[in-house]
Amino acid sequence: MYFCTKYAFFEMEEIFDSFFRQYYAPMVLYTDRQLGNRELAEDVVQDVFKKLLELDFSVYNTEKLNSLVFTMLKNRIIDIHRYNQRHQQGELQDAPSEDSVEDSFFEIELYERLYSEVNSLPKKISEAMHLRMQGFDNHEIAEQLGVNYHTVRSRIQRGIVMLREKFDKQFLYSIFL
């Protein structure tokens, strides 16, 4: 039987909290790209973290924890695609390829690095870029920030130029344009 001391409980809570803060947003962005539905992506990622809380993840080292979480996420995405294929009338959606957990992890780490780099940009550019990453178009961003459409467009373009040194141009355009 496993007895969890108060200290061990708080240590596990810190590990979970740190992992959640580091990977939640990149996992949502990755899942949204796979499913094409932001709300569903957020629900899926929250479900994965909820299931993680139900496990005794203290027995996992960081590498095994990463592998476990990304396997859970990948399997959930595949399940959703399979469900949609069975229950949708008309055109079937393509399920994600059965690529390895390492590939999924790499892509999510890329999104995590992108979030970090966007956070390091000047505040106004960073705000516009974050909203764009959340799926808002330039008109919606302009309305939310209370600025002109052309100002938003200019901020996003400047942000892309600043990030070009660190990321592939095609990757940036697939996210921001």
Side-chain angles (χ1 to χ4, degrees), residues 18-115:
S18 172
F19 192 82
F20 181 84
R21 274 190 266 118
Q22 181 177 3
Y23 288 109
Y24 178 79
M27 287 172 69
V28 169
L29 186 58
Y30 169 78
T31 305
D32 183 29
R33 305 286 279 166
Q34 296 293 318
L35 300 176
N37 182 326
R38 180 65 176 213
E39 288 180 23
L40 180 58
E42 289 174 353
D43 289 344
V44 167
V45 173
Q46 288 171 10
D47 285 346
V48 168
F49 277 105
K50 180 182 174 195
K51 287 180 182 174
L52 181 63
L53 274 175
E54 295 169 358
L55 299 174
D56 178 13
F57 62 90
S58 65
V59 298
Y60 296 97
N61 65 27
T62 304
E63 186 176 309
K64 285 184 180 180
L65 184 61
N66 289 344
S67 179
L68 171 70
V69 169
F70 299 120
T71 298
M72 290 166 60
L73 181 64
K74 184 181 118 191
N75 288 340
R76 185 70 179 106
I77 291 168
I78 290 170
D79 289 345
I80 289 169
H81 279 286
R82 286 181 182 151
Y83 176 85
N84 287 341
Q85 286 178 342
R86 283 193 305 265
H87 293 92
Q88 267 188 343
Q89 299 289 332
E91 192 174 317
L92 296 179
Q93 295 179 341
D94 291 332
S97 64
E98 294 286 336
D99 44 33
S100 69
V101 172
E102 292 83 24
D103 290 342
S104 299
F105 181 65
F106 174 76
E107 191 170 348
I108 291 171
E109 280 189 331
L110 184 61
Y111 288 123
E112 178 202 1
R113 196 173 126 229
L114 176 63
Y115 265 80

Side-chain angles (χ1 to χ4, degrees), residues 110-125:
L110 184 61
Y111 288 123
E112 178 202 1
R113 196 173 126 229
L114 176 63
Y115 265 80
S116 176
E117 293 295 336
V118 168
N119 285 337
S120 71
L121 296 174
K123 184 180 178 187
K124 291 180 179 184
I125 293 173

